[in-house]
Amino acid sequence: AAFDSISATVERLNAKPCRQAITLSTTPAIAVRWLVPWVCLLRDSHPDIDLRFHTSHEPVALDGVTADIAIRYGDGRWPDLVAEKLFDNTFVPVCSPHLGLRDVAELPKHPLIHFRAQAALSAPIHWASWQKLANVPGLDVSAGLVFSDETHAISAAIGAQGVALMSRQLIEDELREGRLVQPFGPEMEGKPFHLVYPESRRDDPTVRAVREWVMAVPGGLCELTG
């Protein structure tokens, strides 16, 4: 009996911890440019959690099969879901400093860079809506480069291929480092990003761990408000 007890204790000590997988759904740009650089924080605090990314520009079911938790762009009202605001979404015209663009009147001389997500039902701010506010003479908002991925549009702007209308929160590093500049306004407010998850899973330990990680990622509302 004594040897059996020792054997059982050794087995418990050597047993691998139970791993938990959780799927977070968000846009490709939010995943790549905001979350992925900080996955190490979640891994360090919860090494037993396997985080899986599901990238889409449209909401998906948070049914525990397609996804468990999500970051969504919208007004924060989704039935049966907890929605916690992460950050505002301000769209600004940006370009490479190598273009030498300073005056909005010179904008029609440069190609526009567009982001249009394929099959997206809810489009973000685009050049046509910006032009209604700015009313720049001679600006053709239907022309230019078109990308279905925000990260590609940002890369094209950095490469001096034109002027992009982008969420400032996604290009803060490039603006701070001078790889992109905002030569003029106006700025436009889009709908903010929220962290959402089912009300029924509010106390789920894995959901709570990922929530705490997202809220602690630099650049979010928690950091901005201290």
Side-chain angles (χ1 to χ4, degrees):
F3 283 115
D4 288 342
S5 177
I6 293 172
S7 177
T9 300
V10 171
E11 287 181 4
R12 287 197 302 271
L13 292 175
N14 290 334
K16 294 182 179 179
C18 180
R19 305 196 63 79
Q20 298 291 326
I22 185 169
T23 300
L24 186 154
S25 178
T26 188
T27 68
I30 290 292
V32 172
R33 302 186 63 81
W34 191 53
L35 294 178
V36 169
W38 300 99
V39 168
C40 56
L41 298 180
L42 178 64
R43 186 170 57 246
D44 290 345
S45 59
H46 296 279
D48 58 324
I49 293 179
D50 293 325
L51 180 64
R52 300 171 180 173
F53 283 100
H54 175 283
T55 57
S56 171
H57 289 287
E58 290 306 310
V60 298
L62 302 184
D63 53 8
V65 178
T66 304
D68 301 281
I69 189 169
I71 295 176
R72 290 184 179 174
Y73 170 89
D75 57 15
R77 294 191 295 270
W78 292 281
D80 302 319
L81 296 178
V82 178
E84 301 184 67
K85 184 177 177 181
L86 293 174
F87 51 80
D88 292 315
N89 205 16
T90 304
F91 287 80
V92 296
V94 295
C95 63
S96 166
H98 296 299
L99 290 184
L101 180 60
R102 295 181 176 83
D103 192 330
V104 68
E106 300 174 355
L107 181 58
K109 300 177 183 179
H110 298 272
L112 298 182
I113 297 174
H114 305 264
F115 160 62
R116 296 175 189 160
Q118 293 180 349
L121 300 177
S122 55
I125 302 297
H126 45 69
W127 278 113
S129 57
W130 183 88
Q131 171 66 346
K132 289 181 180 179
L133 183 63
N135 194 26
V136 179
L139 182 63
D140 183 359
V141 296
S142 64
L145 296 168
V146 180
F147 295 94
S148 62
D149 189 307
E150 288 165 289
T151 57
H152 297 161
I154 294 170
S155 295
I158 293 173
Q161 300 303 311
V163 185
L165 188 64
M166 302 303 307
S167 171
R168 183 163 57 199
Q169 284 71 19
L170 293 181
I171 55 171
E172 286 182 339
D173 288 346
E174 287 78 9
L175 290 172
R176 183 173 55 254
E177 296 165 2
R179 288 183 287 158
L180 288 175
V181 295
Q182 179 189 343
F184 43 71
E187 300 180 356
M188 298 188 70
E189 290 298 324
K191 294 180 180 179
F193 281 97
H194 296 80
L195 178 70
V196 298
Y197 48 91
E199 174 68 43
S200 61
R201 298 190 64 182
R202 183 189 289 269
D203 296 323
D204 183 303
T206 307
V207 169
R208 189 165 61 244
V210 174
R211 175 203 172 273
E212 292 173 354
W213 166 65
V214 171
M215 290 297 185
V217 170
L221 189 64
C222 291
E223 182 190 67
L224 296 177
T225 59

